[in-house]
Amino acid sequence: MKKNPTPLDMSSNKVEQLNNNNNNNNNKENNEIKKLPVTVLSGFLGSGKTTLLKHILKNREGLKIAVIVNDMSELNIDALAVKKNEYTINQVDEKLVEMQNGCICCTLREDLLVEVSKLAKENRFDYLVIESTGVSEPLPVAETFTFDIPGYNNLSDISKLDTMVTMIDLYNFDKNLKSIETAYEKYGSSDGVAEEDERSVSFLLIEQVEFSNVIILNKADLVEESVINRVKGIVRKLNTEAKIYATTRSEIPLKNILNTDLFDFESASLANGWLKELRGEHVPETEEYGISSFVYKRRKPFHPQKLEEFLINRILPENVIRSKGTCWIACDYINAYIWENAGLLTPDIILEDEWYACIDKKEWEGTATEWEEMLKDFVEPHGDRKNEIVFIATELDKKKIEDLLDDILLTDEEFNLGPTEWEKYPNPFVEIIEVEEEEEEEGQGEAVPNNENDRILGEKRKSEETSNNNEDNNEPNQNNKNFHKI
């Protein structure tokens, strides 16, 4: 289910800055504010973002451009590079805003909100270019444009996110895609990356590719044509909608990255190759470069201990570029889990939401038509529970992957025991935290089980809870705890 962006918990001084900006704007003549178009540049350090920014400023063709530069280091190297350049920003027609000691996709999001709002309200710039840090994820940056600001519904009332550009370093693409380093291990604290930042290099690369409108394959002069075509095939498989250009020294016609009118939040969110594969929208043209995909789908759950061993031993073939989907783990009959991996990394197994089979129709928030459509995916007695994972790989061996995963499903004998027995398996994939249970609202009824298995489990849990409540000095039963997503 699609989730709305999480609102920023802004500090009081940031709110005050936004209010002051709004008041200053109201004190001016009541000229209508034109929406300030914005291009966001993402990409790893060394991919050519700053070179592209210089190219934009040198060839701006009379546009009055404002620039926000975000560098993770305490001394903003990118800002210095722009300032020292022969085509330094004119302080009358253009403006440079430096953002330091943080990343605009996380710790500096409220600063980004303030700065974009301020520049838009000045109503004197034709365009805004934002150069994000190498470890920024584009999605949270784009979400910033949906947040509320004083005096307007949201930032998009006075600005327009026009293009999301991702720069790819062709020369180091394979190295980055296959890297198992974290962002901290690759860039270190000298670039301001927190030591606890566990995001991997390959994950960040794929995130930047998947959420973009324009992908620039830079340093084309350093690789063979066959490499360009292969990388283009991988990128096209990961993002089915983006415009893809190969460049040398980041030189590209500005019409391809400014005022393109390409960005649409919903479309960008649905452009992921893995998501289109799940919807049955295959992208066959990538297969000529040896890049292909398939959906692994089984109506039988994984055995939790076999799955854990599979992940620990990193059995997934090394040619898998991306895999993502939903998985069903036998020990948890209530919740679905996300399976996700990038490059050579071991897949993450993340607790998601309840299966629809566990939701009472009375609590369903969608339309009747959506409910009926969702029911088409039900196979009784287990409803919508299933494993459904997309694999994207070079020289894909579908049978090998299927055999590997089939081997860690429940056996037929185990499957026939049913969910009351499966629940006895330990669950290694969730962190269970004991929290105080909220008081039930007056008049709130219990959900009606959707099938016999859910009814049996519900009665079993009630019995266990009653037993635990009557025993003194006992550790709380697992079923009295809430699951907190990792």
Side-chain angles (χ1 to χ4, degrees), residues 232-255:
K232 187 180 294 184
I234 293 173
V235 167
R236 172 58 67 221
K237 199 68 178 178
L238 294 172
N239 186 324
T240 60
E241 300 295 332
K243 306 286 186 181
I244 303 174
Y245 304 101
T247 64
T248 296
R249 292 181 291 278
S250 304
E251 294 179 359
I252 186 172
L254 296 195
K255 65 180 182 179

Side-chain angles (χ1 to χ4, degrees), residues 71-77 100-101 190-192:
D71 188 271
M72 292 293 286
S73 60
E74 189 169 338
L75 178 62
N76 198 325
I77 302 300
Q100 300 174 183
N101 288 327
S190 61
D191 285 314

